[in-house]
Amino acid sequence: MLVNSQLYRTIWPQRSRANSLAVVCIIDQTKLPHQFVIASIEHFQQMLAAINTMQVRGAPLIGAAAAYAIALAVQDDASDQHLQASAAQLMQSRPTAVNLHWAVQRMLGLLMTLPASDRNQAAWHEAANICEQDVLLNQAIGRHGWTLIQAASEHAKVSQVQGSVVNVLTHCNAGWLATVDFGTALAPIYTAHNAGINLHVWVDETRPRNQGASLTAWELAQHGVPHTIISDNAGGHLMQQGLVDLVIVGADRVTSQGDVCNKIGTYLKALAAFDNDVPFYAAVPSPTIDWTITDGLTEIEIEHRHGDELAYMQGLAADGSLQNIRVIPVGAQAMNPAFDVTPARLVTGIITEQGIFPPAELSLSRQT
Ligand code: MRU
């Protein structure tokens, strides 16, 4: 996608000039929206830290980052022992998003069949394949998902709703920054916007890390999509006022029965949508579907992050520097579950690269 009119992806490999080894470039998402910083990752441990600290984040992107982490590990040491130890560390880094597990398993499945001498080249090649696949899946999600927005737009025109604008509410960041490119929940929005549909996005701020206010708002602005940031508590009220036509969110893991695990707070939006007859969709590439589980509430490990994410907020100081300020009393306890599960009964449909499926029919999206 475009940043200041220049095309970027969120992650890409590059040859180091110093020693001709490969490095991986990432957009450091902890600095957005105030600073656009490219970080160069040279070693496995650096990529592991980038995933842990959320310099890279979003389920599809941490899958891609994990694949490149494996390539960096193999570049240093291609032995079985090192490969397996690196994979084990990655698996523990962010437990909820299944894309990370999927990507690590895919890398291991390939590399363990090869002699150590062939692993380096194969690892970089496979990580690049995972990235290319992610972009294609997201574009397909965009092609399917925009029909929902198109239908809402036609409905608004027929009903002569003032301005016939379609209002879409989204939570967290499931845009191109959460993927290699194009996004999941925002893919239908970009596709509809590019097709000239008059739409507007309500952007949940998404405390505690503010992925909505910091990342979604930034990338929608870069692409010229009209949007308004709202507090996390405002969505239900807007739905009651008839100001939301549909909700589209991403997901970090979806069960075979269509339970949707996504950023904390998604469940409350789904409840409000259900109560107000607002359609609620999750946009999900196939690597985000965990076909091995059925019940999201009992079978998905919810990542708990440090309470400091609630205690401190980052912002731009008057001197232009990024600063953290404390917003809760010193000594106060803070608990920080990072995801929740929306039961399938609250989900209108799941937008995949294969089409749009009611949760009960999600298995129809499964490629053999
Ligand atoms: O904790 P994060 O920022 O890595 O969370 C992931 C997300 O951005 C969302 O939950 C998103 O909707 C799923 S990723 C497309």
Side-chain angles (χ1 to χ4, degrees):
M1 298 290 279
L2 293 174
V3 179
N4 300 326
S5 310
Q6 194 179 327
L7 274 176
Y8 279 93
R9 285 185 172 184
T10 53
I11 191 165
W12 65 95
Q14 194 169 284
R15 286 262 152 224
S16 155
R17 287 209 191 91
N19 54 16
S20 89
L21 290 177
V23 300
V24 182
C25 297
I26 59 165
I27 297 170
D28 182 349
Q29 300 194 22
T30 61
K31 302 283 195 291
L32 287 171
H34 304 299
Q35 298 174 356
F36 183 73
V37 175
I38 308 291
S40 180
I41 308 283
E42 296 177 16
H43 298 290
F44 170 80
Q45 288 298 338
Q46 277 176 285
M47 187 62 94
L48 185 64
I51 293 171
N52 277 321
T53 61
M54 296 174 64
Q55 286 179 294
V56 283
R57 32 75 41 211
L61 178 56
I62 58 178
Y68 276 122
I70 293 284
L72 288 164
V74 168
Q75 181 168 255
D76 277 347
D77 173 355
S79 68
D80 284 10
Q81 196 188 18
H82 187 60
L83 187 52
Q84 280 165 339
S86 304
Q89 285 186 71
L90 280 168
M91 295 287 209
Q92 285 165 9
S93 60
R94 299 213 54 200
T96 302
V98 74
N99 307 58
L100 185 147
H101 300 250
W102 168 85
V104 171
Q105 295 295 1
R106 177 163 155 176
M107 295 295 284
L108 276 188
L110 170 72
L111 298 176
M112 292 301 285
T113 63
L114 300 175
S117 56
D118 291 349
R119 285 179 182 166
N120 187 35
Q121 197 182 8
W124 290 96
H125 189 251
E126 191 64 357
N129 286 342
I130 285 173
C131 290
E132 292 309 319
Q133 183 190 11
D134 180 64
V135 176
L136 293 176
L137 297 182
N138 299 335
Q139 285 173 336
I141 285 173
R143 283 195 298 277
H144 293 297
W146 90 285
T147 60
L148 298 168
I149 300 173
Q150 187 185 33
S153 172
E154 291 305 322
H155 178 76
K157 280 181 198 150
V158 170
S159 324
Q160 296 185 313
V161 176
Q162 198 181 12
S164 61
V165 61
V166 179
N167 283 296
V168 185
L169 184 143
T170 193
H171 190 68
C172 194
N173 172 259
W176 73 273
L177 288 170
T179 65
V180 176
D181 205 354
F182 222 62
T184 56
L186 296 196
I189 288 170
Y190 288 130
T191 309
H193 174 79
N194 293 347
I197 289 184
N198 187 8
L199 63 84
H200 165 265
V201 184
W202 296 113
V203 178
D204 281 353
E205 61 173 341
T206 319
R207 281 283 287 150
R209 288 191 67 107
N210 292 335
Q211 288 97 328
S214 298
L215 304 176
T216 300
W218 179 81
E219 62 164 274
L220 289 174
Q222 289 289 331
H223 203 74
V225 180
H227 62 281
T228 305
I229 299 165
I230 53 174
S231 73
D232 284 328
N233 300 323
H237 168 71
L238 294 181
M239 291 180 209
Q240 288 174 323
Q241 299 295 311
L243 293 173
V244 180
D245 294 298
L246 68 161
V247 178
I248 309 181
V249 299
D252 295 82
R253 192 182 296 228
V254 169
T255 71
S256 61
Q257 302 300 302
D259 291 346
V260 173
C261 181
N262 192 48
K263 181 55 55 191
I264 192 79
T266 304
Y267 170 53
L268 292 177
K269 298 301 139 59
L271 281 173
F274 191 77
D275 196 41
N276 290 281
D277 286 329
V278 173
F280 178 96
Y281 292 93
V284 178
S286 49
T288 303
I289 303 173
D290 186 346
W291 295 108
T292 68
I293 59 172
T294 54
D295 182 356
L297 280 173
T298 58
E299 295 181 273
I300 297 178
E301 180 183 352
I302 300 295
E303 175 183 4
H304 277 246
R305 295 187 62 84
H306 201 285
D308 278 357
E309 292 185 350
L310 271 91
Y312 292 90
M313 288 185 79
Q314 178 177 271
L316 197 60
D319 66 0
S321 63
L322 292 182
Q323 287 187 12
N324 283 336
I325 55 161
R326 189 174 179 93
V327 292
I328 67 172
V330 173
Q333 296 280 336
M335 186 199 186
N336 187 14
F339 300 97
D340 61 25
V341 173
T342 297
R345 68 185 163 79
L346 301 176
V347 177
T348 310
I350 297 180
I351 310 166
T352 78
E353 71 271 12
Q354 301 297 328
I356 304 170
F357 299 87
E361 293 171 19
L362 184 58
S363 62
L364 297 176
S365 75
R366 193 170 186 176
Q367 296 283 67
T368 46

